[in-house]
Amino acid sequence: MRIPIIAGNWKMHKTVTEAVDFVNQVKDQLPPADQLQTALAAPTLCLVPMVQAAAGSPLKLMAENCYCKDAGAYTGETSPYALYQAGIHHVLLGHSERRKYFHEDDDLINQKVGAALRNGLCPIVCCDDTMARRIAADDQIHWAVNRILADLKGLSTEDICKVTVAYEPSWAIGSGQSADPNQAEEGCYLIRQTISDMYGEDVANNVRVLYGGSVTPENTGAMMAQADIDGVLVGTDSLDSRTFLEIVNH
């Protein structure tokens, strides 16, 4: 059985004090982890004090990124080994903003996925499409599927079961324009079918697939009612503790 997950992605927001205050506001109002998993991806600077504040609660903390090497002369990067040692067990990889602003390609993301898994981190791997492709060629799903093939290349059956995939149409991220539930379900279904082609149906049925892109309290329930959507990745509406709790307790 796939346990649903609701994950917030704060991006480059909040100070350490603000982050800890947020954890203290929500940690006692979350569903049990065996019913719904709740997670926050926060800036690296905030993670250790957030882990300490969340101790004993269902809330899990995630890194927003990591590098593909465990250690070395890589100024400014974050080690997956160091993240795991700090009590972090999940990492967001391949977000459209990393691809767009920092020019991360599928080969690098594939290396990062491998490094995360090697160090005990469970990756949430993002794949997206573009409005231009959707309007001009109607091939956004093929593009997303090709991305999954590249980003998850070479993973063992054991490792793929530790991966979560987030389908995030790039035109929906931060735009206030969400995909409708049927569009979101189509993308998540075809991602699951791609994983089935790669690893078999039994494995694919154990991999969680999320929808992300302008998720709100108003659309969360409809998204999560879809057969192949196992949760949501929330951006802006995860920054306010009350709104985040509305989404979690939809």
Side-chain angles (χ1 to χ4, degrees), residues 33-75:
D34 60 351
Q35 297 176 16
L36 174 74
Q37 294 185 355
T38 332
L40 287 171
T44 305
L45 190 64
C46 301
L47 288 174
V48 170
M50 289 176 73
V51 167
Q52 294 167 346
S57 81
L59 183 65
K60 301 296 182 186
L61 284 308
M62 305 194 304
E64 294 182 7
N65 187 37
C66 72
Y67 196 49
C68 59
K69 303 289 185 181
D70 296 356
Y74 306 105
T75 301

Short mmCIF file of all heavy atoms in Angstrom, two decimals, residues 33-75:
data_model
loop_
_atom_site.label_atom_id
_atom_site.label_comp_id
_atom_site.label_asym_id
_atom_site.label_seq_id
_atom_site.Cartn_x
_atom_site.Cartn_y
_atom_site.Cartn_z
N ALA A 33 1.83 9.20 10.89
CA ALA A 33 2.66 8.94 9.72
C ALA A 33 2.26 7.68 8.97
O ALA A 33 2.60 7.53 7.80
CB ALA A 33 4.12 8.86 10.14
N ASP A 34 1.54 6.76 9.64
CA ASP A 34 1.11 5.56 8.94
C ASP A 34 -0.14 5.79 8.10
O ASP A 34 -0.56 4.93 7.34
CB ASP A 34 0.90 4.39 9.90
CG ASP A 34 -0.17 4.69 10.96
OD1 ASP A 34 -0.63 5.85 11.06
OD2 ASP A 34 -0.54 3.74 11.68
N GLN A 35 -0.73 6.99 8.22
CA GLN A 35 -1.89 7.36 7.40
C GLN A 35 -1.53 8.38 6.33
O GLN A 35 -2.01 8.30 5.20
CB GLN A 35 -2.99 7.94 8.30
CG GLN A 35 -3.54 6.96 9.33
CD GLN A 35 -4.56 7.61 10.24
OE1 GLN A 35 -5.10 8.68 9.96
NE2 GLN A 35 -4.83 6.95 11.36
N LEU A 36 -0.71 9.33 6.68
CA LEU A 36 -0.27 10.37 5.75
C LEU A 36 1.09 10.87 6.20
O LEU A 36 1.25 11.25 7.37
CB LEU A 36 -1.27 11.54 5.73
CG LEU A 36 -0.84 12.75 4.90
CD1 LEU A 36 -0.97 12.45 3.41
CD2 LEU A 36 -1.67 13.99 5.26
N GLN A 37 2.07 10.85 5.31
CA GLN A 37 3.39 11.37 5.65
C GLN A 37 3.45 12.86 5.31
O GLN A 37 2.96 13.30 4.27
CB GLN A 37 4.47 10.58 4.90
CG GLN A 37 4.54 9.14 5.36
CD GLN A 37 5.68 8.37 4.73
OE1 GLN A 37 6.38 8.87 3.86
NE2 GLN A 37 5.84 7.12 5.15
N THR A 38 4.04 13.61 6.22
CA THR A 38 4.15 15.06 6.06
C THR A 38 5.62 15.45 6.08
O THR A 38 6.38 14.97 6.94
CB THR A 38 3.45 15.80 7.20
OG1 THR A 38 2.40 15.02 7.72
CG2 THR A 38 2.88 17.11 6.73
N ALA A 39 6.02 16.31 5.14
CA ALA A 39 7.42 16.67 5.04
C ALA A 39 7.57 18.12 4.61
O ALA A 39 6.68 18.69 3.97
CB ALA A 39 8.14 15.76 4.04
N LEU A 40 8.70 18.70 4.96
CA LEU A 40 9.04 20.05 4.52
C LEU A 40 10.45 20.05 3.95
O LEU A 40 11.39 19.56 4.59
CB LEU A 40 8.97 21.03 5.70
CG LEU A 40 7.58 21.40 6.22
CD1 LEU A 40 7.72 22.19 7.52
CD2 LEU A 40 6.82 22.21 5.18
N ALA A 41 10.59 20.61 2.75
CA ALA A 41 11.90 20.85 2.17
C ALA A 41 12.28 22.30 2.46
O ALA A 41 11.57 23.22 2.05
CB ALA A 41 11.89 20.59 0.66
N ALA A 42 13.37 22.47 3.18
CA ALA A 42 13.75 23.80 3.66
C ALA A 42 15.19 24.12 3.26
O ALA A 42 15.98 23.21 2.96
CB ALA A 42 13.60 23.85 5.18
N PRO A 43 15.56 25.40 3.28
CA PRO A 43 16.96 25.75 3.01
C PRO A 43 17.91 25.02 3.95
O PRO A 43 17.58 24.78 5.12
CB PRO A 43 16.99 27.27 3.26
CG PRO A 43 15.58 27.71 3.00
CD PRO A 43 14.72 26.59 3.48
N THR A 44 19.06 24.66 3.45
CA THR A 44 20.02 23.84 4.21
C THR A 44 20.33 24.43 5.58
O THR A 44 20.43 23.70 6.57
CB THR A 44 21.31 23.68 3.39
OG1 THR A 44 20.99 23.15 2.11
CG2 THR A 44 22.28 22.74 4.09
N LEU A 45 20.46 25.75 5.65
CA LEU A 45 20.80 26.41 6.91
C LEU A 45 19.79 26.12 8.01
O LEU A 45 20.14 26.11 9.19
CB LEU A 45 20.90 27.92 6.67
CG LEU A 45 21.47 28.80 7.77
CD1 LEU A 45 22.94 28.44 8.02
CD2 LEU A 45 21.36 30.28 7.39
N CYS A 46 18.55 25.86 7.63
CA CYS A 46 17.47 25.67 8.61
C CYS A 46 17.30 24.22 9.05
O CYS A 46 16.62 23.96 10.05
CB CYS A 46 16.15 26.14 8.01
SG CYS A 46 16.11 27.88 7.50
N LEU A 47 17.88 23.27 8.34
CA LEU A 47 17.49 21.88 8.50
C LEU A 47 17.81 21.30 9.88
O LEU A 47 16.96 20.65 10.49
CB LEU A 47 18.13 21.02 7.41
CG LEU A 47 17.55 21.21 6.01
CD1 LEU A 47 18.37 20.43 4.98
CD2 LEU A 47 16.09 20.78 5.97
N VAL A 48 19.01 21.49 10.38
CA VAL A 48 19.38 20.87 11.66
C VAL A 48 18.51 21.37 12.80
O VAL A 48 17.95 20.56 13.57
CB VAL A 48 20.88 21.05 11.96
CG1 VAL A 48 21.20 20.62 13.39
CG2 VAL A 48 21.72 20.24 10.97
N PRO A 49 18.33 22.69 12.98
CA PRO A 49 17.43 23.11 14.06
C PRO A 49 15.99 22.68 13.84
O PRO A 49 15.25 22.45 14.82
CB PRO A 49 17.56 24.64 14.06
CG PRO A 49 18.23 25.00 12.79
CD PRO A 49 19.04 23.84 12.37
N MET A 50 15.56 22.53 12.59
CA MET A 50 14.21 22.02 12.34
C MET A 50 14.08 20.56 12.73
O MET A 50 13.06 20.15 13.29
CB MET A 50 13.85 22.21 10.87
CG MET A 50 13.62 23.66 10.45
SD MET A 50 13.31 23.84 8.67
CE MET A 50 11.62 23.19 8.56
N VAL A 51 15.09 19.77 12.45
CA VAL A 51 15.09 18.36 12.87
C VAL A 51 14.97 18.28 14.38
O VAL A 51 14.20 17.47 14.93
CB VAL A 51 16.37 17.65 12.37
CG1 VAL A 51 16.52 16.29 13.06
CG2 VAL A 51 16.34 17.48 10.87
N GLN A 52 15.71 19.11 15.07
CA GLN A 52 15.68 19.10 16.53
C GLN A 52 14.30 19.51 17.05
O GLN A 52 13.75 18.90 17.98
CB GLN A 52 16.75 20.04 17.07
CG GLN A 52 18.16 19.55 16.76
CD GLN A 52 19.23 20.61 17.01
OE1 GLN A 52 18.94 21.79 17.16
NE2 GLN A 52 20.50 20.18 17.02
N ALA A 53 13.69 20.52 16.41
CA ALA A 53 12.37 20.99 16.84
C ALA A 53 11.29 19.96 16.57
O ALA A 53 10.31 19.86 17.31
CB ALA A 53 12.03 22.31 16.15
N ALA A 54 11.44 19.18 15.49
CA ALA A 54 10.42 18.22 15.08
C ALA A 54 10.55 16.87 15.76
O ALA A 54 9.74 15.98 15.52
CB ALA A 54 10.47 18.03 13.57
N ALA A 55 11.56 16.69 16.59
CA ALA A 55 11.81 15.39 17.22
C ALA A 55 10.56 14.85 17.92
O ALA A 55 9.89 15.57 18.66
CB ALA A 55 12.96 15.51 18.22
N GLY A 56 10.23 13.58 17.61
CA GLY A 56 9.08 12.94 18.23
C GLY A 56 7.76 13.20 17.54
O GLY A 56 6.73 12.65 17.94
N SER A 57 7.78 14.02 16.50
CA SER A 57 6.54 14.32 15.76
C SER A 57 6.55 13.57 14.43
O SER A 57 7.58 13.04 14.00
CB SER A 57 6.44 15.83 15.51
OG SER A 57 7.23 16.21 14.38
N PRO A 58 5.41 13.54 13.70
CA PRO A 58 5.39 12.86 12.40
C PRO A 58 6.11 13.63 11.29
O PRO A 58 6.32 13.09 10.20
CB PRO A 58 3.89 12.77 12.07
CG PRO A 58 3.17 13.09 13.33
CD PRO A 58 4.07 13.96 14.12
N LEU A 59 6.49 14.89 11.54
CA LEU A 59 7.05 15.74 10.49
C LEU A 59 8.45 15.29 10.09
O LEU A 59 9.32 15.09 10.95
CB LEU A 59 7.10 17.19 10.97
CG LEU A 59 7.60 18.21 9.96
CD1 LEU A 59 6.64 18.33 8.78
CD2 LEU A 59 7.79 19.58 10.64
N LYS A 60 8.67 15.12 8.79
CA LYS A 60 9.97 14.79 8.25
C LYS A 60 10.55 16.02 7.56
O LYS A 60 9.82 16.81 6.95
CB LYS A 60 9.88 13.64 7.23
CG LYS A 60 9.31 12.36 7.83
CD LYS A 60 10.21 11.80 8.92
CE LYS A 60 9.66 10.49 9.49
NZ LYS A 60 10.47 10.01 10.65
N LEU A 61 11.86 16.17 7.64
CA LEU A 61 12.54 17.28 6.99
C LEU A 61 13.32 16.80 5.78
O LEU A 61 13.93 15.73 5.81
CB LEU A 61 13.48 17.99 7.98
CG LEU A 61 12.82 18.91 9.01
CD1 LEU A 61 11.89 19.91 8.34
CD2 LEU A 61 12.10 18.16 10.10
N MET A 62 13.27 17.61 4.72
CA MET A 62 13.93 17.25 3.47
C MET A 62 14.89 18.36 3.06
O MET A 62 14.64 19.55 3.30
CB MET A 62 12.90 17.10 2.33
CG MET A 62 11.78 16.14 2.57
SD MET A 62 10.91 15.78 1.01
CE MET A 62 10.43 17.42 0.48
N ALA A 63 15.98 17.96 2.41
CA ALA A 63 16.85 18.93 1.76
C ALA A 63 16.26 19.32 0.41
O ALA A 63 15.58 18.51 -0.24
CB ALA A 63 18.25 18.35 1.58
N GLU A 64 16.52 20.55 -0.02
CA GLU A 64 16.00 21.01 -1.31
C GLU A 64 16.91 20.61 -2.47
O GLU A 64 16.52 20.75 -3.63
CB GLU A 64 15.84 22.53 -1.29
CG GLU A 64 14.77 23.01 -0.33
CD GLU A 64 14.60 24.52 -0.36
OE1 GLU A 64 15.21 25.18 -1.23
OE2 GLU A 64 13.85 25.04 0.48
N ASN A 65 18.09 20.09 -2.13
CA ASN A 65 19.06 19.73 -3.16
C ASN A 65 20.24 19.05 -2.48
O ASN A 65 20.41 19.14 -1.27
CB ASN A 65 19.53 21.00 -3.89
CG ASN A 65 20.41 20.70 -5.10
OD1 ASN A 65 20.20 19.71 -5.81
ND2 ASN A 65 21.41 21.53 -5.33
N CYS A 66 21.03 18.34 -3.25
CA CYS A 66 22.34 17.88 -2.78
C CYS A 66 23.23 17.68 -3.99
O CYS A 66 22.77 17.71 -5.13
CB CYS A 66 22.25 16.59 -1.95
SG CYS A 66 21.88 15.10 -2.92
N TYR A 67 24.52 17.49 -3.74
CA TYR A 67 25.45 17.29 -4.85
C TYR A 67 25.59 15.79 -5.11
O TYR A 67 25.08 14.96 -4.37
CB TYR A 67 26.81 17.93 -4.54
CG TYR A 67 27.68 18.09 -5.77
CD1 TYR A 67 27.16 18.66 -6.94
CD2 TYR A 67 29.00 17.66 -5.77
CE1 TYR A 67 27.95 18.80 -8.07
CE2 TYR A 67 29.79 17.81 -6.89
CZ TYR A 67 29.26 18.37 -8.03
OH TYR A 67 30.05 18.50 -9.16
N CYS A 68 26.31 15.45 -6.19
CA CYS A 68 26.46 14.05 -6.57
C CYS A 68 27.72 13.41 -5.99
O CYS A 68 28.02 12.26 -6.31
CB CYS A 68 26.45 13.91 -8.10
SG CYS A 68 27.74 14.83 -8.94
N LYS A 69 28.45 14.15 -5.16
CA LYS A 69 29.65 13.62 -4.49
C LYS A 69 29.45 13.70 -2.99
O LYS A 69 28.78 14.60 -2.49
CB LYS A 69 30.90 14.42 -4.89
CG LYS A 69 31.17 14.47 -6.39
CD LYS A 69 31.63 13.13 -6.92
CE LYS A 69 32.02 13.23 -8.39
NZ LYS A 69 32.46 11.94 -8.95
N ASP A 70 30.08 12.77 -2.28
CA ASP A 70 29.94 12.74 -0.83
C ASP A 70 30.74 13.84 -0.14
O ASP A 70 30.34 14.34 0.91
CB ASP A 70 30.39 11.38 -0.28
CG ASP A 70 29.51 10.24 -0.78
OD1 ASP A 70 28.52 10.50 -1.49
OD2 ASP A 70 29.84 9.07 -0.47
N ALA A 71 31.91 14.18 -0.72
CA ALA A 71 32.79 15.20 -0.13
C ALA A 71 33.77 15.64 -1.22
O ALA A 71 33.90 14.99 -2.25
CB ALA A 71 33.55 14.63 1.07
N GLY A 72 34.45 16.75 -0.96
CA GLY A 72 35.47 17.18 -1.92
C GLY A 72 35.48 18.68 -2.10
O GLY A 72 34.80 19.44 -1.40
N ALA A 73 36.27 19.13 -3.07
CA ALA A 73 36.46 20.56 -3.34
C ALA A 73 35.33 21.07 -4.24
O ALA A 73 35.53 21.37 -5.42
CB ALA A 73 37.82 20.79 -3.99
N TYR A 74 34.14 21.17 -3.66
CA TYR A 74 32.95 21.60 -4.40
C TYR A 74 32.29 22.74 -3.63
O TYR A 74 31.26 22.55 -2.96
CB TYR A 74 31.98 20.43 -4.59
CG TYR A 74 32.63 19.24 -5.23
CD1 TYR A 74 32.96 18.10 -4.47
CD2 TYR A 74 32.98 19.25 -6.58
CE1 TYR A 74 33.59 17.01 -5.05
CE2 TYR A 74 33.61 18.16 -7.17
CZ TYR A 74 33.91 17.05 -6.40
OH TYR A 74 34.55 15.98 -6.98
N THR A 75 32.89 23.90 -3.71
CA THR A 75 32.49 25.04 -2.90
C THR A 75 31.01 25.36 -3.07
O THR A 75 30.51 25.48 -4.18
CB THR A 75 33.32 26.29 -3.30
OG1 THR A 75 34.71 26.00 -3.08
CG2 THR A 75 32.91 27.50 -2.46
#
